[in-house]
Every structure is written in C-alpha cells, then in structure tokens.
Amino acid sequence: MSIHLVLFLFFGAVAVAGAINLLAQSHPINSALSLIAVMAALAGEFLLLGAEFVAAIQVIVYAGAIMVLFVFVIMLLNAGVEERTKGSRVAIMFGIPGMLMGSVLVAWAVLHSYGQDEVVAGALEGAPRDIATLLFREFLLPFEVTSILILIAIMGAVVLASKPQAVQKRKEH
Amino acid sequence: MVPLSYYLVLSAILFACGVTGFLIKRNVITIFMSIELMLNGVNLSFVAFAAKWHALSGQVFVFFVMVVAAAEAAVGLAIIIAIYRARETLNVDQMNLLKL
Amino acid sequence: MGTHALPIWLFIVVSAIKSAILLFVLLTAVAYTVWLERKVVGHMQNRWGPTRVGPFGLLQPAADGLKFLFKEDLTPPHVYKPLYIAAPMIAVIFALTSIAVIPFGNSVVIGRYTIPLQITDVNVGLLLILGITSIGVYGVALAGWSSNNKYSLLGGLRASAQMVSYEISLGLSLVGVLIMSGSFSLRHIVEAQQGHFWGFIPRWNIFQGQVVGFFVYLIAAYAETNRIPFDLPEAETELVAGYHTEYSAMKFAMFFMAEYANMITVACLASLLFLGGWNGPIPAWLPYPLHVILPVVYFVAKVFVFLFIYIWVRGTLPRFRYDQLMAFGWKFLLPVAICNLIATAVAVTW
Amino acid sequence: MRTLDHNILTLVTFVPLAGALLLVLLPRRDRDIRIFALVTSLLTFVLSLHLPVYFKRPLHLGTGFHYEVNSPWISSPTIHYHIGIDGISLWLVVLTTFLTPLCVLISWKSVHDRVKEFFILLLILETALIGVFVALDLFLFYFFWEATLIPMALLIGIFGHERKVYAAVKFFMYTMIASMFMLAAILWLYAHTGTFDFVEIQTQIRAGGVPNLSAAALWLFLGFFIAFAVKVPLFPFHTWLPDAHVEAPTAGSVLLAGVLLKMGTYGMLRFNLGLFPEQSRQNAPWIVVLALIGIIYGALVAMVQPNMKKLIAYSSVSHLGFVVLGIFSFTQAGLNGAMFVMLAHGVSTGALFMLAGVLHERRHTYEISEFGGLASPMPIYAASFLFIVLASVGLPLLNGFVGEFLVLSGAFQSRAIYGILGATGVIWSACYLLWMYQRVFYGKVTHAVNNSLLDLEGFEKAAVWPCALAALVMGVAPIIWLAAIDPTTHSALVPLAQMTAKVVGQ
Amino acid sequence: MITPLVAQVIPQAGEYVRILPELVLSLFGILIMLLDPLMDEQRGQKTLGLIGFIGTLAGLLATWYMSQSPGLAFSNSIQIDGFSAFFHVLVIAIAALVILSSYEYLAVQHIRAGEYYALILFGTVGMGLMSSAVELVLIFIALEISSISTYILAGFRRYQAASTESSLKYFLLGSFATAFFLYGVAMMFGATGSTNIDKISRYLQSNGVPLLVYIGTALMFVGLGFKLAAAPLHVWTPDVYEGAPAPVVGFMSTAPKAAAFAVLLRIVFAINEPAHFWPVWVAAALSMTIGNLGALVQTNVKRLLAYSSIAHAGYLLVAFAMTTPENWPNGIAAAMFYAAAYAAMNVGAFAVVGHFANAGEQYVTLEDYEGLGRSSPLLAAVLTIFLLSLIGIPITGGFFAKFYVFSAALRANLIWLTLIGVVNSAIGAYYYLRIIVVMYMREPRKQVPVSRVSFGVGTALAVCTFATIYLGIFPNRVLHYAQQSAQNVMPVHVAGSPTSTAEIPAIPRSRP
C-alpha cells in the first residue's frame, strides 16, 4: 500500500463517515458539522489528485462561506432537533432501494470502464496560473455569466429574506 | 498510486448519500445540505476525471460548481428564512398548504 | 525548494523541531501580547497596567495562565455539551494552524541542506491561510450557539455575519498584492518585494501603490479578529461578553489564546504582504549568522508594529453600532476594495 | 362570371363568418343584431343559389367537382385550400344556407338573453357546416368538422334548457373522441400518400399505389366510420342525440337535426365509400343491420316518448337509419334515395323542431300530455304542423316519400329482407307521428292555459312556411334535385361495380 | 497600448454580437435595479415595467441582429444558428408578454416591481444562453440562472405562506435535479474528455459509446426532466404553480421549459446516444397520462393548468422519441413549433387567470369562474380561445402543434405512442371544457369582482390571441423556419444533414 492509497482511504473514510453521520444525526447543526468534515476530507482528496488550488478553494468557499451560512441560518432560526414525523414513506420505500441500485450501477460502470487504471497523483499541476488562463480564455463566457448568477442570487436573497414590512415602509416614504 | 475508479466510487457513494438524505430527512435545512453533499460528490468526479484526461478544465468546472452552490445557498437559505417566518416550522411534512 | 534535498526522515524531524519552536514562540508571544496590551492601554489611559507580578508585571501572563489552569471548569447545565466543549478547541486549533505556512525569514543553510524558515511552503499558501481563518469562525459561532444563552447566541450570530461579510473585503484587498506578485506562495510574494526604488525606497507592496489595499486589509482584519472597534460579538456592555459568556477557566483561555493568535497571524500576514516581510537593509559585510537572524528580526519588528497599532486602536476608538458595522463593511469597504483591485489591475496591465 | 364561379364557394363559406366578425363589433342592440344576422344569412342563401343554377357548367371536367378552388395553404404538411362540390355536397350546402335564415327567424323572439353571442355562434356554425361539405382536402375537412363542434356545444350549453351543461359536454365528448379516430386515419393516409388531397388520395388508392394499405385499410375504414357513425348517429352511438336535442335551443335543434347529422352520412358517402369501397362492401352486412336496428328501434322508442322533442329526436335516429341503409345497399336507387332522405329530413325535421319550439316558446314545455286539442286555438299552427308531419311520414307527393321509396327499392335490390324490414320503419313512423299529432291537436282542450295560446306569428310563419313549400316542391318535382345527384352517385358506384365484376370474373 | 495578454483575453467584437441579446437584457436588468431605489412603489411599477418591456423589445431586435451572424463564439461555447435564434425569440417574447401581463398584477398584489422585472430579464438571459450554448458547463450555469430566478419569482408573494412554500418546493426539487444534471455532465466529461457537445459527438462517433455516456445521458435526462415537469419527475409542478404568482407561472411554465427543451434537443440529437429512446418513450407516455388524469379532478384553475402543463410536456416529448436520423428533423421541428404554440396559449391563459385572481389571488377555483362568460364576455372569450388551443381544436396553434408532433411520430412508426397521445388529448378535452362550461353555462353563485382590463394585460392578451390564431391558420412560416433550423441541431456525422455545426464558420481569431 502506497502512502497515497493510505491517505486516500483515510480521507475517503472520513468523507463517507461524515456523509453517513449527516444522515444519522437528528440535529441540523450536527449534520452541518459532518458536512464540513466531508468537505475537508474532500479537500484532502483533491490534494491527492494534485488539485491544490481547488482544494484551497474548496475549504474557503464551501467550508468557510457556504457552510457558515448554513450554520448561521440554523442558529438564526434556532432550528431544533428534527421531528420524526410520518415522513414520506413512499420516498423511503422506493427511493432508498432505487438510490442504492443507482449507485451500485454507477460503481459497477465505473469499475467496468476503468478497472484498476491508476491516476498519477500530482500528474496535473493545478497551478492557479494555468487555471486562470483556462478560465479567462476557454471558459470566459461561463465565467462572465456567473456574475449574472451571483447578481440574481444576491437580489433573491434580499427580496426573500427581507421582512415583508419593508414594503409597507417604502410606501410610507 | 490510487486507481481512478476508487475516486469515482467514492464520489458515487457521496452522491448516493446525498440522495438518501434528500429523501429521508425531514428538516429543510438538512435536506438542502444533502443537496450540497451531492454537489460535493460530483466535484470529486470532476477532479478525478480531470486527472484522468490531464485536462485542467475538470478543475475549472469545480470552480463553477462552487459558484453555483454558493448562489443556491444564498437563495435557498433566504427561502428557508422566509418560510420559517411564515410557517414557524422547518419540517417539510408540514409544508402542506398546497396539496390536492 | 530546499526541502527536496532533505531525506524524508530528516525532513520529518526538522519539521517537528520547527513546529515545536514555532508553537512555543507563538504561545509566548500570545501571552506577552496580552501583557503588552494591558500595559500600553494602561499607559494610554494614564495608569500603570500590571505591575505586581514580576518586574513591570512581566510575570503576569504566567500568573494568569496558572489561574486559568487551576480554576474550576464550570459547565452550565443547559448547554449543548459536545459543541460547547468542541467550540474553544476549534477556535484555538485553527488559530494556531495558520502559522504553519507563514515564512518568518530566509532559508538557513546547515551543512548540505537548505532549510526554509517556515514549516511548509505550499504554493497556495495564502489561500490556505484564508481557508483556515475562515474555518476559525465556527469556533465563535458554535460557542455562541451551544451555550444556549441569548447573549451568547447573539454574539455568535454577530460574529459569523461579521466575519463572512468582512472576509470578502479582506480577500479582495489581497488580490491587489496577488496581481503584483503573481503567486499565492507567501515566500514568492516576499521575494517579489526585494529591492529598492531609487536606491532607498524599499519595493514593498505598500509603496507600490497598495496603500489603499493595505488599509482595507487592516480594517477588515480588525473585523475578522473581532477587535475593537469591531468587537461587537463580545461587546461587554450589551452582550455580557457575547459568545464566551458561559465559558470559564481553560475553555475561556482557549478563546483568549485564539483571539491573540489570530491577531499575530494577521500581523504576520500584513507584514509579509504589504511591508516586504523579512526584507530589510542587511549590509553585505555582516557575518553570515546575521544574514539569517536579521531578517527574522526585521520580520518580528514589523509584526510588533502591527500589534502595537492594534492595541493603539483599541485604546483610541469607540465601538461601532452593529448596523454601522455592516453598512461600513458592505457600502464602504467593499467598494473601496473593488476600486483598488481594478486600479491595480489596470496599472499592472498598462 | 368566371371569377364568380371561382370564388362563389369561398364566398358562400365565409360570408357568415365575416358577418359574425362584424357582429362582434356591433353594439348590443338586440334588434339590430337580429336584423344583421338575418341579412347575412339571407345573403348567403342567395349567393348559394348560384351553385345549383350554374351547376352544369363544365368547369373542371377532370375530377368531377365543380367550382373547384385549389390553392396551397400550408406547405408542410402539404395542405391545400381545396374546395369544390359535386352532386352530393351541392344540395347539402344549399340546405344549410336555406335553414340558417329560418333559424334566425325562429330565434327572433325566443332568444332574448345574450342575443349577440347567439347569433355570432350561429353564423360561425354556418360557416363551419358549409366548410365541411365543400372541403376536398382531408385536413380542411377535419378542420371544419371540429370547428362545428364548438359553436354547437356552446349553443346547447349556453342557450339550452335545464340540463344543458350535461348535454353540451356529452355532445362534445362523444363527437370529439370519435373524430380523434378519424384524425388518426387521416394522418395515416397522409403519412403514406404524402397528401391530404381527397382526389389525389382517391386516385392513389384506386391505382393501388399506397404502401401497406391492405393491412391498414380495415382500420382506416373503421376510423372514419366511427367518427361518422357517432355523428349520424348510428344505433349504438346514438345516446347523445336525444339529450342534445331536448336541451338545445330551437335553432340549435334545427341545425343539429337538419345539417349536423348529415355530416355523418355525407362523410360515409364521400370517404368510406369513396376511399374504401372494398372495405365498405365487406362491412356492409353488419352496418346495414345496425341501420335497420336504428330504424326500428328509433321508431319504437319514439312512439313511447312523452316528450315531443325527444320524439322528434328519436325519429331522426330512425330516418337517418334509412340513409345509412340506402348508402350501404350499393345501388343507384339506394344512394339517390339516401341523398334525398338527407335533404328531405333536413327540411321536414327542421320544420318539426321549429314547430315544437314555437310551442315551447308559449308553454315552456315539450310534454305531450300538457297539450291536447290545440287545433281549435291555433288553427294555422295545426295546419302547418299537419303538413310537415305528413311530409315526414312519407305521404306521396311530399318529400319524405320520394327518398324513402328510393331507399327501400334500393334495399330490395340489394337483399329483399332489408327492404322488408326497412319498410316497417315507414309504418312505424306513420304511427308515432300521427299518434303524437292526434294527442296534441285533436280532441278537447285539456289544459285551460292552452285556450289562450297565440297562433303562429309573422316571423314564425316566415320560418315554417318556406319549409313546407320546399317539402311540397321536393315531393312534386324531385327531378330537380335528383338531376344533380344521380350522376354523382353513379360515378360513386363505379368502383364497386368494377369490384363486383372482378369477383364475378374470378 | 494593450499588452498581448489582454489581447488574447478580450474576444473580438464579432463574438459579442453573438451574445448581444443577453448583453442587452442584462443591461436593462441592471438599469432597472439601479433605478429601483430612486422611485416610490407606484411610479416604480409603471416606469420599471416600461423599461423592462423596452428591454425585451430591444432584446428581440438584438436577436435579429445576432441571427445575421451565425457561428460559434467564445471558444466554441455558444453556437448561433437558426435554432438558437428561434428559442431566443421565443423566450424573449414570452418575457415581454409576461412583463406586460404583470403590469397591473404587481400593483394589485403589492409586489415590488424592481426586482421582479429585473429577475425576469436576468432569467431570460439564462434561457437565451441555454438555447445557444453547446458547452455543457455553460448550459449548466445558464440553467441555474434561469432556475434560480424562477425560484425567486415563485416566492414573490411573500406575505402568503403558500407562495413561499411553492418557492421552497421548487427550489429544493430544482436543486436536487440540478445535481443530477451536473453528475451527468461529469460522467460525460469523464467518458469523453470534453464537455463540448460537438466534441462529444465526434468522440462518440469515432470511439463508440462508452458505458458512462449512457449513465451520463440518463442523469442529465433526469435533471432536465425535472425542469420540464416530465413524469415521473413532475411532482413539484402542481404545488409550485398553485402557489406562485399567476403571471410568473405563465412565465415559468413556458420559457424555462422551452429553453430546457432546446437543451434537451441539442443533447439528445447531437450526442446521438442510442439509448435515449425508451426513457423518452416512457416519460412521454407517463407525462401525458398522469398530467391529464391529474387535471381531471382539479378544482383550482392554476393546479388544473399545472397538470395540463405536465401533459403538454408529454406531448412535446413524443417528438424526442424519433429513432432514425431521417426522422429527426421532423421531430425537432415539431417540438420547436409545439414550444412556440404552447407558449402563446399558456402565457395568455395565465394572464387571464392572473387577472381574474385579483388581490391575494383569492379567485382561482372553478367556482369563481362561474358566469364569467356573462360578466366579462371578452376575457372569457379570450380564455376560451386559449383553452381550445390547449385542447387542440383546429384554427388554433395548439392543433397544429399536436398535429405536427403526432404526424412526426407516426412517420417514425411510433404507433402506440401516438395512440396514447391521441387518447390523452381526448381526455384532456374534458377538463379544459369544464372551464369553458363553468364560464358560460353556469350562473354565478357568488359575486366575483373583475377589474377592468388594463392596457398591459390587454396588449399581452391581444398578442397571445393573435399568435395562437396565427399559428393555427398560417403555421407555414414558423414551421418552415423550424424545419430549416432543425438541421442545425443535427450532429455532424449524420449523413445528409446539409448545414451541420462543422460547416458553420467559427469567427477567425487572430492572436498576436
């Protein structure tokens, strides 16, 4: 077992454990923390794959920004322990077996397609400079278009989360 | 060295966990987190495939996915706040104003 | 990179030694920053500060530390225990981790090996620091939430909102520097600042037009570390110490340590990014050891200056109101940072 | 005159629609609207008279259709605005234009709510009906076929009586679903011949140039047949008809019985016979049986109806059975008779519905038991009614006789038992109609209200008497009509005759 | 002086022409956002709406200008051709109509205008890009733009829990679907090493179809199926449509769907992955059946139309089940025509529904429609036309739409699918008819106030009616255009496609 495989298995185990914990926990904040663990472990996997930049961004954006938002909202709404209401039995009955089948299918397809082909870790230097070049040439349009996406998101967040009274206030002015 | 398929299987497992979470969790926020988990699983696939094809573009996609995830998070959490204001609950089973 | 030359076992040993030294220095520095703060603020307010324990109160930090250690560790009954315990640890661990990628001097050549004065040099070092500090917010947020106390909760909420908001300005203010140096590696960034204009003005980024960026960074960094005038999350007068209301003894000490460690990290980063890091005048005729030691001294001196400014600001400025803080962050700091970024980009391109 | 010949069909078809559109713009002054509608429909009628008058002029000798217009409309799929008439459709068009002004007249007073909508719908309906008869492009045909549905359903649904909504929806769904089958068949034909043009498809089928036809022909035949059979309505599909008739306003009933039902028989004649002669022949036995059941069953049910309008409705089932019988007897006489019954039934049943409507106007009921001895308070009405009843029964020298006679002789030629069973229908119809007449008009006035009933008013006379006149003329000089019908039916039978010859030859 | 680096980065002016409509719409969106704080609510609603409307008109103009220079742009990530121009016109026109029909709705419901109009414009940008993108990543982002803006729009009646709930459901299921789509993109990328549709197509042609491509297509289909509300991924539709503001429903049941169909057309036909047949077949059959059966029992008009939109997605999907390449152009053209016709009638129907609904959307049940034929004859007549078109009665666009789809299916020998479709249209007739019946043939049991039709709604309705009738009487031009541009979607390697993507000249790019 090479050191890479050991590290892969370690991070992978953390990620899977985090994912399962996310499902098992009944309190949203615990789920959020396990999700952060998954993200951190994935950052590790990215490092193994030689994607240093992506790994760093993963930590900053996902763990540092998106999940903070989640935690913030959980705190803000003081969300309590999940109620075990009747749930959607149908979803559980058909969804989970279906999902299992789907993932087994994908896993089989993947193993079938690639078998033991190995990835040379670090074969691809995810240097920020190269990524930037790609981003500003080949993917210029998608990159620019994301600005609209973000604009919409900001606007939407403001519109939806601001108190409805704001409308009244505006009218009075 | 690690076989590519291991990464992909890991990514499939994470994606499947996300799907499961989406189906079985009752708290809106947790459901939303499950979606994020799915996206993370996809990201791993992208990076692994990028390594396979020696194409940096795979890593660039992750970048875009993150932006999208961030945008979704902003909007989604705003919606969740709005619904909490209106309904005082985060349980999806009680989001039942609109039923047959 | 010199480390390639090291055999793996030696590399591990050297790294361990470096880490140990650095940790020791850092913790000491944290302790004495506290002392310094009390002393300086005392003098500013026309009083003495700590004087009793040791000469000039120099042993006061040790006394405080002992007291924290031996005090009864209270856990209030209604807290959410796992997170209540984890929160201070998260805070302090991430505060201390970020020091790992900070270079504090040139490389040392010992025998055949070149050993950089830095625990590890990652080519995305700056991003890593940003990532780690951004995770640090969980410590505060979770502490506030798990305490099950409305003051703490408010403190935690404020902290997370504030840190997320100001992180954007912080990041943008750094992009200017990145554009100028073209690298995320802190060592490269420092090396890009070597040399002088007209023979006497050092080529530090702050003298290369990053003045605005520097001040934006400074302000955002104060907010990130929850220092006055941005210490809303722990505002004693309104929130009864905010997120750490319910903490005592060692757990409280951890938050304390985390805050000061963060201050030091921020100060290190500022001197690395804007003030040329360990660059400084080293006359060529000095003996070799000084070539190694002087840069470290320069670096420490710059960091000290920053810490002093921190304390100075604390002694001078009043606290913001929360809405002012948010408005300031979004409506002033962010646009300024963006303008700075654009100006830098234009200047570099043309 | 040539330009008029070219455009006369288009003109006749769309003048009512244009009138309807203008009506939309007219202010809601009921009187003006009525007059405008009357003028429009009369104008259409006058224009349509051009058709029979100049019918013989050889315009397009090749296809056997007159006044043909064929211009591309939609390029993909290739749909042409292809219209034209032959001996079959000629009189149906005229029948439509003849009945519409009468409908306007009979609705003069009985419709007093939402008058504007009523006449708009009526005129749109007229356009659609004429369109059905003149269309020679299958697509265009389907287009108009469906288009008749909506105004008719709305007329029933808005202006009808108590259970109007039920009746309207039932009517709509029955016809709609049935016509889906026809659409499927049309699409199949298009997919395999590349055209919607009736004439071209007919030519291709006769030349045997359509791939896979032999396998599909039966289904195609049935697809068309079901749509038409529901419309006719043939025996098991007839259940919508009584509901629709009873609930419809008078004008609706008149057009429904007078023209709409003919769309089905016209379709059978034109498409089932025209496109699938072989299948028609193969399936004729059971169709004829259904027709005979319709004749007898319709008559028997009509006899026991307590409701005058329902009675007339079932009589339609019976009469239309004659038409189907005539068509599927595959004899010259039978086909001529079927055509003539269509026209005669249109005129006389239309008039019957008008007369029933007159009574309903005064008493708001159709129950036969509510009346009795009406002959004394309403002599003119009684006389008109009698005349029409006799025409409907099939008294010689009136129009009913000619058609039924021809049909029965055709049926006899085809197979004697058909003729015999069909002939009983005539007897039954005499029974129920005359019995109904007796119960309503003879004897003493049983209900005091009926003593003060008004006799026919001017506009009612204007609506009913033209029908009576037409019935008389048709009975006396059927040759006027048959002269145009005969050649067409003759040519329609040619492929059948050839087929028989082939069978015999083998 | 521009340094070489910048010269490489900045695309040429010609390429900007190819995103001109998006640029114009974004600019107007930003303009609206900037002006919004300067105006009070009353003035804002009028002025901003007008600006939005002008923006869409300018967008249409820009589309015309754009269509004059077909070709690839931005490193082959978008392709301007007849196909994309068609969908550009379609979505922008829908946006224009929705803006018109929202004009007074916003005032009645007290909805802030600035964000509303801006979001519609931005959403349209996303949809426009979806139709022209040939790069999966760009498609993904454009899809997100259109989705997120509709999530937000769905929740615009914020003081009503139902609206927020609708927004939440839409959002959760939508993002869930997006994740599937993304996973599909990842699989595609993994299997072929590219995310460019053209390159993928070439790769598959020369290297055969790897296993992962099947999975990738299936996943993408799941993702897009959600957006299309195709069964069995339709469950969100009725709830979301019921809660969302009526004009927004008109918008989101047509424009994003049209764009998603455009994407699906490009993916399905250009990638030419052979296994899509059965999933499409099943989805089409299920959507038609479930949509129509579901609609039968509805009493809320919005829900009813929601189910109907599921059914219509099913009819449209029939056009995707073409198996052999020679049938594809028919299918594509039929789908395009259907999208256009459906847009005209559905936007119109929801404009009427929105107008009737009144403040707080309180009048949306069938019962409220009783006697509308009498109290507001013109509106009822217009709604009747739309409903008839939805049934598929001749002289309306809906008829030809169905007609083309079914005849294309028949020509491809999809007898059973056609049969299911035909039977379903018959079932469908019943519930549309119910609305007509209620409007005309029932006496009102309660007083439903109907406000006067304002200029905006009136214009929107007039345009929709005209379009519906026009498509029903003269479908020629639109269909012809669709047939021509259908060729653009055809993959490079299918023999006999005269104008394939390969022959569209890329704008030459000079690099110093």
Side-chain angles (χ1 to χ4, degrees), chain A residues 35-50:
Chain A
L35 187 55
I36 296 168
V38 176
M39 287 162 174
L42 281 184
E45 301 281 12
F46 292 163
L47 280 178
L48 284 180
L49 284 162

Side-chain angles (χ1 to χ4, degrees), chain C residues 49-74:
Chain C
T51 51
R52 299 293 171 87
V53 192
F56 308 109
L58 272 175
L59 291 180
Q60 184 69 40
D64 287 345
L66 281 175
K67 186 180 149 200
F68 280 136
L69 268 179
F70 290 116
K71 246 190 143 175
E72 188 193 353
D73 197 353
L74 271 175

Side-chain angles (χ1 to χ4, degrees), chain E residues 79 134 145 167 181 253 329 379 427 464:
Chain E
Q79 176 183 323
V134 288
I145 292 178
S167 176
F181 181 79
S253 63
L379 269 183
I427 300 175
C464 288

Side-chain angles (χ1 to χ4, degrees), chain A residues 27 29-30 33 36 52-53 56-57 59-60 63-64 67-68 71-72 74-76 78-79 125 128-129, chain C residues 80 83 122-124 127-128 130-131 134-135 137-138 141-142 145 153 156-157 160-161 164 167 182 184:
Chain A
H27 199 291
I29 205 137
N30 291 339
L33 293 178
I36 296 168
E52 293 175 359
F53 183 70
I57 293 289
V59 174
I60 294 178
M67 288 317 292
V68 172
V71 173
F72 182 84
I74 294 172
M75 284 163 55
L76 186 72
N78 209 2
E125 281 294 321
R129 183 179 291 273
Chain C
Y80 185 65
L83 292 183
V122 199
N123 74 1
V124 287
L127 286 179
L128 216 60
L130 283 179
S134 68
I135 290 184
V137 69
Y138 289 115
L142 293 179
W145 182 79
L153 181 65
L157 277 175
S160 40
V164 169
E167 191 158 339
F184 280 114

Side-chain angles (χ1 to χ4, degrees), chain D residues 146-158:
Chain D
E146 289 282 311
T148 57
L149 210 54
I150 300 152
M152 194 66 225
L154 286 177
L155 278 178
I156 298 174
I158 301 176

Side-chain angles (χ1 to χ4, degrees), chain E residues 129-284:
Chain E
L129 275 175
M130 277 164 81
S131 67
S132 55
V134 288
E135 156 75 50
L136 290 177
V137 172
L138 182 59
I139 289 176
F140 170 67
I141 292 172
L143 184 72
E144 275 299 300
I145 292 178
S146 93
S147 308
I148 290 186
S149 54
T150 33
Y151 303 151
I152 302 166
L153 285 170
F156 245 85
R157 300 189 297 135
R158 279 182 305 128
Y159 39 89
Q160 298 222 337
S163 179
T164 322
E165 233 182 83
S166 124
S167 176
L168 180 79
K169 283 180 178 168
Y170 195 22
F171 169 76
L172 283 180
L173 286 159
S175 334
F176 186 61
T178 310
F180 275 94
F181 181 79
L182 191 67
Y183 203 25
V185 173
M187 288 293 174
M188 257 347 182
F189 173 66
T192 64
S194 170
T195 48
N196 188 295
I197 289 180
D198 188 37
K199 280 189 197 149
I200 291 175
S201 171
R202 281 162 200 272
Y203 179 93
L204 296 184
Q205 191 213 354
S206 49
N207 299 13
V209 184
L211 194 56
L212 284 187
V213 168
Y214 291 106
I215 297 179
T217 327
L219 288 167
M220 283 200 280
F221 190 73
V222 170
L224 287 173
F226 259 104
K227 307 281 166 193
L228 299 175
L233 312 167
H234 66 281
V235 280
W236 55 273
T237 323
D239 284 359
V240 171
Y241 284 14
E242 186 188 345
V248 171
V249 183
F251 184 62
M252 72 188 183
S253 63
T254 50
K257 269 195 188 179
F261 271 117
V263 168
L264 200 61
L265 282 172
R266 283 222 201 253
I267 291 177
V268 164
F269 289 109
I271 290 181
N272 181 21
E273 179 270 312
H276 75 259
F277 175 74
W278 280 110
V280 168
W281 198 100
V282 171

